[in-house]
Amino acid sequence: MAGRTVRVRGFPAELPPDRVADKLTIHFLRSRNGGGDIADVRVLPGSPPCALIVFEAPEVAQRILKVKNHVLAIGKTQYPLEVTPHAAELSPDEVLRG
């Protein structure tokens, strides 16, 4: 999975994780955002929360990282997203410890 995962921050913490995952999936599937097929989306608790998005292909993750100014629109509010590479891959045990 190396090179296929990006870390995303900047979405509203008060949204339920499943709704965040849905919104991020829609955003990062869109070709106009540099997106493509997604293998997995994991929303991790924390302050601030973050999400890990694993793409089917490493080149999609690289395209996502090259796009400046990812903005997630939820209702009439726009949230600027911080998208960074994620080097380590998560095991299911790490997700549960969150």
Side-chain angles (χ1 to χ4, degrees):
M1 286 206 292
R4 297 190 304 143
T5 306
V6 298
R7 178 186 300 266
V8 179
R9 289 192 170 107
F11 53 85
E14 64 274 7
L15 278 184
D18 59 336
R19 183 144 184 248
V20 169
D22 289 347
K23 293 289 187 181
L24 291 175
T25 298
I26 291 166
H27 178 85
F28 288 108
L29 274 171
R30 289 188 175 138
S31 58
R32 72 171 185 232
N33 296 326
D37 292 336
I38 295 172
D40 191 25
V41 177
R42 296 184 187 169
V43 179
L44 306 177
S47 184
C50 72
L52 298 179
I53 301 174
V54 181
F55 292 95
E56 293 286 344
E59 52 272 14
V60 176
Q62 296 312 307
R63 277 199 317 263
I64 289 289
L65 293 168
K66 287 179 184 169
V67 172
K68 304 297 180 205
N69 305 322
H70 283 284
V71 177
L72 185 66
I74 300 176
K76 294 183 179 179
T77 307
Q78 299 208 339
Y79 300 91
L81 298 177
E82 175 191 342
V83 181
T84 57
H86 183 68
E89 299 299 335
L90 287 182
S91 71
D93 293 337
E94 289 178 90
V95 174
L96 294 175
R97 277 186 264 156

